[in-house]
Amino acid sequence: MTPLTLAARAACFRQSYPRNEPSWPWLTKEQGRPVLYAIWVIGNDYRNKSGYYGAYPPGYLARVLALFPDVAAADTLHAFSGSMPKGDYTRCDAVQPSEYQVSVLDLPIALDEDRDLFRLVLADPPYTAEDAKRYGTGGVNRRLCTAALAEVTQPGGFLAWLDTCWPMHTKKQWVTVGRILVQRSTNHRARVLSLFERTHD
């Protein structure tokens, strides 16, 4: 199957959210390459069913997946999965119960040899050392984590990394193809969803 272009992914998002025009992605170019931009104001919602500190904001995950309608859940990895419930996807978390209860750094070794590489990786790491303490983990080395996730992602696959900064990575493994500002409500940290495509190195 021919992978969707970024323009097609933006169109899929518009189809999923036809009444939310301010959130529609648009395309621009960086160094001659197409890059998807968007601003998502999700709003506050106190119905966080998990009660887990740092859980995905309600509605966030659906928006991300609207950009990847061609990726099956079985081909999706949730890194730093936290409170994500068991599903058709794969989870990796160093503390919480998951299919791979290991550090993201150890995932390439822990991954089953007969397991196909993932087409989509969603990562929501601890943003600060203080956040990491609340999860009961150490701090996150973003450069090493993006390198480890590259080892378990198919060439042409994607990494959707939610953070308060654009994470360090090597261009030999990842090409930035999207920058999405994510805001919830007043007095919440603004975050950026960085979208990367795995290179064919």
Side-chain angles (χ1 to χ4, degrees):
M1 181 174 63
T2 303
L4 296 177
T5 64
L6 289 179
R9 295 189 186 283
C12 289
F13 186 93
R14 291 194 297 270
Q15 291 174 2
S16 296
Y17 293 90
R19 298 182 180 179
N20 196 350
E21 187 172 349
S23 70
W24 290 354
W26 70 90
L27 287 178
T28 186
K29 285 193 175 182
E30 293 181 6
Q31 299 179 344
R33 294 176 178 270
V35 178
L36 185 149
Y37 275 59
I39 299 173
W40 293 348
V41 181
I42 295 178
N44 210 355
D45 191 328
Y46 296 99
R47 297 170 296 176
N48 181 351
K49 295 179 181 179
S50 73
Y52 188 75
Y53 174 77
Y56 285 141
Y60 164 80
L61 189 56
R63 292 187 187 214
V64 177
L65 295 179
L67 293 168
F68 299 96
D70 55 330
V71 180
D75 296 323
T76 301
L77 168 70
H78 288 269
F80 311 98
S81 56
S83 63
M84 282 292 295
K86 185 177 178 63
D88 293 337
Y89 42 77
T90 301
R91 301 169 298 168
C92 173
D93 194 273
V95 177
Q96 295 298 313
S98 53
E99 287 70 47
Y100 293 95
Q101 194 169 338
V102 298
S103 164
V104 164
L105 300 179
D106 297 325
L107 183 59
I109 296 173
L111 199 67
D112 294 337
E113 290 185 3
D114 59 348
R115 174 67 173 86
D116 290 336
L117 298 181
F118 297 101
R119 293 185 60 203
L120 175 63
V121 177
L122 297 108
D124 183 16
Y127 308 139
T128 66
E130 185 173 330
D131 290 332
K133 283 183 182 179
R134 297 191 68 163
Y135 294 120
T137 64
V140 172
N141 184 312
R142 292 170 172 85
R143 180 181 61 81
L144 294 181
C145 285
T146 56
L149 292 173
E151 293 187 42
V152 301
T153 306
Q154 293 181 20
F158 292 89
L159 168 61
W161 182 284
L162 182 66
D163 205 335
T164 54
C165 66
W166 182 27
M168 289 186 69
H169 58 282
T170 171
K171 294 180 181 178
K172 292 182 179 179
Q173 295 176 321
W174 296 112
V175 175
T176 302
V177 295
R179 305 179 190 277
I180 299 175
L181 174 67
V182 179
Q183 289 188 316
R184 289 190 62 179
S185 182
T186 56
N187 289 335
H188 283 272
R189 284 182 286 191
R191 288 173 270 188
V192 60
L193 170 61
S194 299
L195 299 177
F196 300 97
E197 184 174 352
R198 181 71 168 93
T199 63
H200 292 74
D201 60 353

